[in-house]
Amino acid sequence: MAAVTLLEARGLTRHFDGLKAVDGVDFDLTEGEIHALIGPNGAGKTTFVSLLSGRIPAQSGTIRFAGRDITRLPAHARVRAGIAYTFQITQIYGALTVFDNVALAVQSRHSHRLSDDAMEALARVGLEGRANQTAGTLSYGHQRLIEVAMGLALKPRLLILDEPTQGLAQGEIESFKDIVRSVVPEATVLLIEHNMDVVMDLAHRITVLNFGQVLATGTPDAIRANKAVQTAYLGG
């Protein structure tokens, strides 16, 4: 079966006071893949996914998602179109229960199966037994998983995960990798991650950003062998 392009960005640009955070990036996501976005600190990764999710407007360039031009769509409309973005810094409602956090995500897509869908999302990340706990009392790692459950509860076609393993213990990282694998091919995953073991283990393809531009795109083996990537990021 021929690969289907889910998201296509062309010439995407965003500058801040002369800083070229994202500088003319061309980027493609194939439906049903796990695609990792890596690069040094300050390479433009979070700005780039913020452009894709609509949290920051692009200054130039275009974004097409599922064949539709979404370049000017606001973030909430992109969520409805099927793009879910979990943040680099945990964004949960600490005073609410774990269940209520996920139920809010379910409610936002006007599901008639609120309780069932929320519990299904919690079960996928292994938190169904903590549904009635106050979210703010959970460990940082479990709070990250609540956020992933909130993303899954949106039933997205594209799930963007920004530094999801940050602060997780090794055992939690192994569980997280299983969760991500379970998402595809039902959804496509775009993963920003500094843990290279996670990247190389999970990703079908990897794009490397450096100084706001694409340095390389390819399979994990191709990226590992790329001399320019070794020099800029992998320490080779």
Side-chain angles (χ1 to χ4, degrees):
M1 185 182 296
V4 176
T5 299
L6 177 65
L7 182 142
E8 176 186 282
R10 291 292 178 268
L12 215 55
T13 299
R14 179 72 201 204
H15 298 171
F16 298 100
D17 297 325
L19 173 67
K20 298 178 178 180
V22 175
D23 192 24
V25 168
D26 293 343
F27 180 77
D28 295 282
L29 273 177
T30 300
E31 197 158 34
E33 74 171 335
I34 301 171
H35 195 123
L37 189 65
I38 68 171
N41 288 331
K45 303 182 296 297
T46 293
T47 300
F48 178 66
V49 295
S50 294
L51 296 176
L52 297 184
S53 64
R55 295 183 67 237
I56 299 173
Q59 287 170 313
S60 62
T62 60
I63 306 167
R64 297 187 66 82
F65 181 71
R68 174 189 180 191
D69 189 332
I70 63 166
T71 311
R72 303 300 168 205
L73 275 187
H76 66 87
R78 297 191 201 193
V79 171
R80 285 200 297 270
I83 299 175
Y85 178 20
T86 72
F87 298 90
Q88 184 174 13
I89 301 170
T90 305
Q91 303 274 318
I92 64 168
Y93 300 97
L96 299 181
T97 66
V98 172
F99 174 87
D100 286 344
N101 270 272
V102 180
L104 284 171
V106 175
Q107 190 175 47
S108 72
R109 61 179 177 83
H110 308 295
S111 171
H112 299 296
R113 300 176 61 250
L114 190 149
S115 181
D116 289 347
D117 285 357
M119 289 305 296
E120 177 188 332
L122 285 172
R124 290 183 72 175
V125 301
L127 291 181
E128 67 272 33
R130 298 177 181 268
N132 294 321
Q133 283 189 240
T134 302
T137 66
L138 269 63
S139 69
Y140 182 78
H142 283 133
Q143 290 184 27
R144 297 308 304 259
L145 291 177
I146 295 171
E147 197 180 23
V148 173
M150 292 168 71
L152 292 174
L154 293 168
K155 303 284 189 183
R157 293 187 67 179
L158 170 59
L159 179 63
I160 302 174
L161 301 170
D162 195 346
E163 299 287 359
T165 68
Q166 183 178 307
L168 298 190
Q170 188 56 45
E172 292 172 325
I173 290 174
E174 292 305 315
S175 297
F176 167 78
K177 289 193 289 188
D178 290 338
I179 292 166
V180 173
R181 291 189 186 101
S182 76
V183 172
V184 295
E186 175 188 336
T188 300
V189 175
L190 177 58
L191 176 72
I192 302 177
E193 183 55 66
H194 275 111
N195 186 323
M196 291 308 298
D197 289 337
V198 171
V199 168
M200 294 298 177
D201 195 24
L202 278 180
H204 301 130
R205 289 195 300 152
I206 299 169
T207 292
V208 186
L209 287 185
N210 196 32
F211 297 113
Q213 297 182 330
V214 174
L215 181 63
T217 295
T219 64
D221 285 344
I223 292 300
R224 193 183 280 114
N226 187 296
K227 297 298 185 186
V229 174
Q230 290 175 15
T231 299
Y233 185 56
L234 298 181

Coordinates of all heavy atoms in Angstrom, one line a residue, residues 143-203:
Q143 N 1.6 12.3 36.2 CA 1.0 13.5 35.6 C 1.3 13.6 34.1 O 0.4 14.0 33.4 CB 1.5 14.8 36.4 CG 1.0 14.9 37.8 CD 1.4 16.2 38.5 OE1 1.6 17.2 37.8 NE2 1.5 16.1 39.8
R144 N 2.5 13.2 33.7 CA 2.8 13.2 32.3 C 1.8 12.2 31.5 O 1.4 12.5 30.4 CB 4.2 12.9 32.0 CG 5.3 13.8 32.5 CD 5.1 15.3 32.1 NE 5.0 15.5 30.7 CZ 6.0 16.0 29.9 NH1 7.2 16.2 30.4 NH2 5.8 16.2 28.7
L145 N 1.6 11.1 32.2 CA 0.7 10.1 31.6 C -0.7 10.6 31.5 O -1.5 10.2 30.6 CB 0.8 8.8 32.3 CG 2.1 8.0 32.2 CD1 2.1 6.8 33.1 CD2 2.5 7.7 30.8
I146 N -1.2 11.4 32.5 CA -2.5 12.0 32.5 C -2.6 12.8 31.2 O -3.6 12.8 30.5 CB -2.8 12.9 33.7 CG1 -2.9 12.0 35.0 CG2 -4.1 13.6 33.5 CD1 -2.9 12.9 36.2
E147 N -1.6 13.6 30.9 CA -1.6 14.5 29.8 C -1.7 13.6 28.5 O -2.4 14.0 27.5 CB -0.4 15.4 29.8 CG -0.5 16.6 28.8 CD 0.7 17.4 28.9 OE1 1.8 17.0 29.2 OE2 0.5 18.6 28.5
V148 N -0.9 12.5 28.4 CA -1.0 11.7 27.2 C -2.4 11.1 27.1 O -3.0 11.0 26.0 CB 0.0 10.5 27.3 CG1 -0.2 9.5 26.2 CG2 1.5 11.1 27.3
A149 N -3.0 10.7 28.2 CA -4.4 10.2 28.2 C -5.4 11.3 27.7 O -6.3 11.0 26.9 CB -4.8 9.7 29.6
M150 N -5.1 12.5 28.1 CA -6.0 13.6 27.6 C -5.8 13.7 26.1 O -6.8 14.0 25.4 CB -5.6 14.9 28.3 CG -6.0 14.9 29.8 SD -5.2 16.3 30.7 CE -6.2 17.7 30.0
G151 N -4.6 13.6 25.6 CA -4.4 13.6 24.1 C -5.1 12.5 23.4 O -5.8 12.7 22.4
L152 N -5.0 11.3 24.0 CA -5.6 10.1 23.4 C -7.1 10.2 23.4 O -7.8 9.8 22.5 CB -5.2 8.8 24.1 CG -3.7 8.4 24.0 CD1 -3.4 7.3 24.9 CD2 -3.4 8.1 22.5
A153 N -7.7 10.8 24.5 CA -9.1 11.0 24.6 C -9.7 11.8 23.5 O -10.9 11.8 23.2 CB -9.5 11.6 26.0
L154 N -8.9 12.7 22.9 CA -9.4 13.5 21.8 C -9.5 12.7 20.5 O -10.0 13.2 19.5 CB -8.4 14.6 21.5 CG -8.3 15.7 22.7 CD1 -7.1 16.6 22.4 CD2 -9.6 16.5 22.7
K155 N -9.1 11.4 20.5 CA -9.2 10.5 19.3 C -8.5 11.2 18.1 O -9.1 11.3 17.0 CB -10.6 10.2 19.0 CG -11.4 9.5 20.1 CD -11.0 8.1 20.3 CE -12.0 7.4 21.2 NZ -11.6 6.0 21.5
P156 N -7.2 11.7 18.3 CA -6.6 12.4 17.2 C -6.1 11.6 16.1 O -5.9 10.4 16.2 CB -5.4 13.1 18.0 CG -5.0 12.0 19.0 CD -6.3 11.5 19.4
R157 N -6.0 12.2 14.9 CA -5.3 11.6 13.8 C -3.8 11.8 13.9 O -3.0 11.0 13.4 CB -5.8 12.1 12.5 CG -7.2 11.8 12.2 CD -7.6 12.2 10.8 NE -6.9 11.5 9.7 CZ -7.1 11.6 8.4 NH1 -8.0 12.5 8.0 NH2 -6.5 10.9 7.5
L158 N -3.4 12.9 14.6 CA -2.0 13.2 14.9 C -1.9 13.6 16.3 O -2.5 14.5 16.8 CB -1.6 14.4 14.0 CG -0.2 15.0 14.3 CD1 0.9 14.0 14.2 CD2 0.1 16.2 13.4
L159 N -1.0 12.9 17.0 CA -0.7 13.1 18.4 C 0.8 13.6 18.5 O 1.7 12.9 18.1 CB -0.8 11.8 19.2 CG -0.5 11.9 20.7 CD1 -1.4 12.9 21.4 CD2 -0.5 10.5 21.4
I160 N 0.9 14.9 18.9 CA 2.2 15.5 19.1 C 2.7 15.4 20.5 O 2.0 15.9 21.4 CB 2.2 17.0 18.6 CG1 1.8 17.1 17.1 CG2 3.6 17.6 18.8 CD1 1.6 18.5 16.6
L161 N 3.8 14.8 20.8 CA 4.3 14.6 22.2 C 5.6 15.4 22.3 O 6.6 15.1 21.7 CB 4.5 13.1 22.5 CG 3.3 12.2 22.3 CD1 3.7 10.8 22.4 CD2 2.3 12.5 23.4
D162 N 5.6 16.4 23.2 CA 6.8 17.3 23.4 C 7.5 16.9 24.7 O 7.0 17.1 25.8 CB 6.3 18.7 23.5 CG 7.4 19.7 23.3 OD1 8.6 19.3 23.4 OD2 7.2 20.9 23.1
E163 N 8.7 16.3 24.5 CA 9.5 15.8 25.6 C 8.7 14.9 26.6 O 8.7 15.2 27.8 CB 10.1 17.0 26.3 CG 11.0 17.9 25.5 CD 12.4 17.2 25.1 OE1 12.6 16.1 25.6 OE2 13.2 17.8 24.4
P164 N 8.0 13.9 26.1 CA 7.1 13.2 27.0 C 7.9 12.3 28.1 O 7.3 12.0 29.1 CB 6.4 12.3 26.1 CG 7.3 12.1 24.9 CD 8.0 13.4 24.8
T165 N 9.1 12.0 27.9 CA 9.8 11.1 28.9 C 10.6 11.9 29.9 O 11.2 11.4 30.8 CB 10.8 10.1 28.2 OG1 11.9 10.8 27.6 CG2 10.0 9.3 27.1
Q166 N 10.6 13.2 29.7 CA 11.3 14.1 30.7 C 10.8 13.9 32.1 O 9.6 14.0 32.4 CB 11.1 15.6 30.3 CG 11.8 16.6 31.2 CD 11.6 18.0 30.7 OE1 11.8 18.3 29.5 NE2 11.2 18.9 31.5
G167 N 11.7 13.5 33.0 CA 11.3 13.3 34.4 C 10.7 11.9 34.7 O 10.4 11.6 35.8
L168 N 10.7 11.0 33.7 CA 10.2 9.7 33.9 C 11.3 8.7 34.4 O 12.5 8.9 33.9 CB 9.6 9.1 32.6 CG 8.3 9.8 32.0 CD1 7.8 8.9 30.9 CD2 7.3 10.1 33.1
A169 N 11.0 7.8 35.3 CA 12.0 6.8 35.6 C 12.1 5.8 34.5 O 11.2 5.7 33.6 CB 11.5 6.1 36.9
Q170 N 13.1 4.9 34.5 CA 13.4 4.0 33.4 C 12.2 3.1 33.2 O 11.8 2.8 32.0 CB 14.7 3.2 33.6 CG 15.1 2.4 32.4 CD 15.3 3.2 31.2 OE1 15.9 4.3 31.2 NE2 14.8 2.7 30.0
G171 N 11.6 2.6 34.3 CA 10.5 1.7 34.1 C 9.3 2.4 33.5 O 8.6 1.8 32.7
E172 N 9.1 3.6 33.8 CA 8.0 4.4 33.2 C 8.3 4.7 31.8 O 7.3 4.7 31.0 CB 7.9 5.7 34.0 CG 7.4 5.6 35.4 CD 7.4 6.9 36.2 OE1 8.3 7.7 36.0 OE2 6.5 7.1 37.1
I173 N 9.6 4.9 31.4 CA 9.9 5.1 30.0 C 9.6 3.8 29.2 O 9.0 3.9 28.0 CB 11.4 5.4 29.8 CG1 11.6 6.8 30.4 CG2 11.8 5.4 28.4 CD1 13.1 7.3 30.4
E174 N 9.8 2.7 29.7 CA 9.5 1.4 29.0 C 8.0 1.3 28.8 O 7.6 0.9 27.7 CB 10.1 0.2 29.7 CG 11.6 0.1 29.7 CD 12.2 0.2 28.4 OE1 11.7 -0.6 27.5 OE2 13.2 0.9 28.2
S175 N 7.2 1.6 29.8 CA 5.8 1.6 29.7 C 5.3 2.6 28.6 O 4.4 2.4 27.9 CB 5.1 1.9 31.0 OG 5.4 0.9 31.9
F176 N 5.9 3.8 28.7 CA 5.6 4.9 27.7 C 5.8 4.4 26.3 O 5.0 4.7 25.4 CB 6.4 6.1 28.0 CG 6.3 7.2 26.9 CD1 5.2 8.0 26.8 CD2 7.3 7.3 26.0 CE1 5.0 8.9 25.8 CE2 7.2 8.2 25.0 CZ 6.1 9.0 24.8
K177 N 6.9 3.7 26.0 CA 7.2 3.3 24.7 C 6.1 2.3 24.2 O 5.7 2.4 23.0 CB 8.6 2.6 24.6 CG 9.7 3.7 24.7 CD 11.0 3.1 24.3 CE 11.6 2.1 25.3 NZ 13.0 1.7 25.0
D178 N 5.6 1.5 25.1 CA 4.5 0.5 24.7 C 3.3 1.3 24.4 O 2.5 1.0 23.5 CB 4.3 -0.4 25.9 CG 5.4 -1.4 26.1 OD1 6.1 -1.7 25.1 OD2 5.5 -2.0 27.2
I179 N 3.0 2.4 25.2 CA 1.8 3.2 24.9 C 1.9 3.8 23.5 O 0.9 3.8 22.7 CB 1.7 4.3 26.0 CG1 1.4 3.7 27.3 CG2 0.6 5.3 25.6 CD1 1.5 4.7 28.5
V180 N 3.1 4.4 23.2 CA 3.2 5.0 21.9 C 3.0 4.0 20.7 O 2.3 4.3 19.7 CB 4.6 5.7 21.8 CG1 4.8 6.3 20.3 CG2 4.6 6.9 22.8
R181 N 3.6 2.9 20.9 CA 3.5 1.8 19.9 C 2.0 1.4 19.7 O 1.6 1.1 18.6 CB 4.3 0.6 20.2 CG 5.8 0.8 20.1 CD 6.6 -0.5 20.2 NE 8.0 -0.2 20.3 CZ 8.7 -0.2 21.4 NH1 8.1 -0.5 22.6 NH2 10.0 0.0 21.4
S182 N 1.2 1.5 20.8 CA -0.2 1.1 20.7 C -1.0 2.1 20.0 O -2.1 1.8 19.5 CB -0.7 0.8 22.1 OG -1.0 2.1 22.8
V183 N -0.5 3.3 19.8 CA -1.3 4.4 19.2 C -1.4 4.2 17.7 O -2.4 4.5 17.1 CB -0.7 5.8 19.6 CG1 -1.3 6.9 18.8 CG2 -0.8 6.0 21.1
V184 N -0.3 3.7 17.1 CA -0.2 3.6 15.6 C -0.7 2.2 15.3 O -0.5 1.2 16.1 CB 1.2 3.8 15.1 CG1 1.6 5.3 15.3 CG2 2.2 2.9 15.8
P185 N -1.2 2.0 14.1 CA -1.4 3.0 13.0 C -2.7 3.8 13.1 O -3.0 4.5 12.2 CB -1.4 2.1 11.7 CG -2.1 0.8 12.2 CD -1.6 0.6 13.6
E186 N -3.5 3.6 14.2 CA -4.7 4.3 14.3 C -4.5 5.8 14.3 O -5.3 6.6 13.7 CB -5.3 3.9 15.7 CG -6.6 4.7 16.1 CD -7.0 4.4 17.5 OE1 -6.6 3.3 18.0 OE2 -7.6 5.3 18.1
A187 N -3.4 6.3 14.8 CA -3.0 7.7 14.8 C -1.5 7.8 14.4 O -0.8 6.8 14.4 CB -3.2 8.3 16.1
T188 N -1.1 8.9 13.9 CA 0.3 9.2 13.6 C 0.9 10.0 14.9 O 0.2 10.7 15.5 CB 0.3 10.1 12.4 OG1 -0.2 9.4 11.3 CG2 1.8 10.5 12.0
V189 N 2.1 9.7 15.2 CA 2.8 10.3 16.3 C 4.0 11.1 15.9 O 4.8 10.6 15.1 CB 3.2 9.2 17.3 CG1 4.0 9.9 18.5 CG2 2.0 8.5 17.9
L190 N 4.0 12.4 16.3 CA 5.2 13.2 16.1 C 5.8 13.5 17.5 O 5.1 14.0 18.4 CB 4.8 14.6 15.5 CG 6.0 15.6 15.3 CD1 7.1 15.0 14.5 CD2 5.4 16.9 14.7
L191 N 7.0 13.0 17.7 CA 7.7 13.0 19.0 C 8.9 13.9 19.0 O 9.8 13.7 18.3 CB 8.1 11.5 19.2 CG 8.9 11.1 20.5 CD1 8.0 11.2 21.7 CD2 9.4 9.7 20.3
I192 N 8.8 14.9 19.9 CA 10.1 15.6 20.2 C 10.7 15.0 21.5 O 10.1 14.9 22.5 CB 9.7 17.1 20.6 CG1 9.0 17.8 19.4 CG2 11.0 17.9 20.9 CD1 8.6 19.2 19.7
E193 N 12.0 14.6 21.3 CA 12.5 13.8 22.4 C 14.1 14.0 22.4 O 14.7 13.9 21.4 CB 12.2 12.4 22.2 CG 12.6 11.4 23.3 CD 12.2 11.9 24.7 OE1 11.0 11.8 25.0 OE2 13.1 12.2 25.5
H194 N 14.6 14.2 23.6 CA 16.1 14.3 23.8 C 16.7 12.9 24.1 O 17.9 12.7 23.9 CB 16.4 15.2 24.9 CG 16.5 16.7 24.4 ND1 15.6 17.6 24.8 CD2 17.4 17.3 23.6 CE1 15.9 18.8 24.2 NE2 17.0 18.6 23.5
N195 N 15.9 12.0 24.6 CA 16.4 10.7 24.9 C 16.6 9.8 23.7 O 15.7 9.3 23.1 CB 15.4 9.9 25.9 CG 16.0 8.6 26.4 OD1 16.6 7.9 25.7 ND2 15.6 8.3 27.7
M196 N 17.9 9.7 23.2 CA 18.1 9.1 21.9 C 17.8 7.6 21.9 O 17.5 7.1 20.9 CB 19.6 9.4 21.5 CG 19.8 10.9 21.2 SD 18.7 11.5 20.0 CE 19.0 10.5 18.5
D197 N 17.9 7.0 23.1 CA 17.5 5.6 23.1 C 16.1 5.4 22.8 O 15.7 4.5 22.0 CB 17.8 5.0 24.5 CG 19.3 4.8 24.7 OD1 20.1 4.7 23.8 OD2 19.7 4.8 25.9
V198 N 15.2 6.3 23.3 CA 13.8 6.3 23.0 C 13.5 6.6 21.5 O 12.8 5.9 20.9 CB 13.0 7.3 23.9 CG1 11.6 7.4 23.5 CG2 13.1 6.9 25.4
V199 N 14.2 7.6 21.0 CA 14.1 8.0 19.6 C 14.4 6.8 18.7 O 13.6 6.5 17.8 CB 14.9 9.2 19.3 CG1 15.0 9.4 17.8 CG2 14.4 10.4 20.0
M200 N 15.6 6.2 18.9 CA 16.1 5.2 18.0 C 15.2 3.9 18.1 O 15.1 3.2 17.1 CB 17.5 4.9 18.3 CG 18.5 6.0 18.0 SD 18.5 6.4 16.2 CE 19.6 7.9 16.2
D201 N 14.6 3.7 19.3 CA 13.8 2.5 19.5 C 12.4 2.7 18.9 O 11.8 1.7 18.4 CB 13.7 2.2 21.0 CG 13.2 0.8 21.3 OD1 13.4 -0.1 20.4 OD2 12.7 0.6 22.4
L202 N 11.9 3.9 18.9 CA 10.5 4.1 18.6 C 10.3 4.6 17.1 O 9.3 4.2 16.5 CB 9.8 5.1 19.5 CG 9.3 4.7 20.8 CD1 8.7 5.9 21.6 CD2 8.3 3.6 20.7
A203 N 11.1 5.5 16.7 CA 10.8 6.2 15.4 C 11.0 5.4 14.2 O 11.9 4.6 14.0 CB 11.7 7.4 15.3

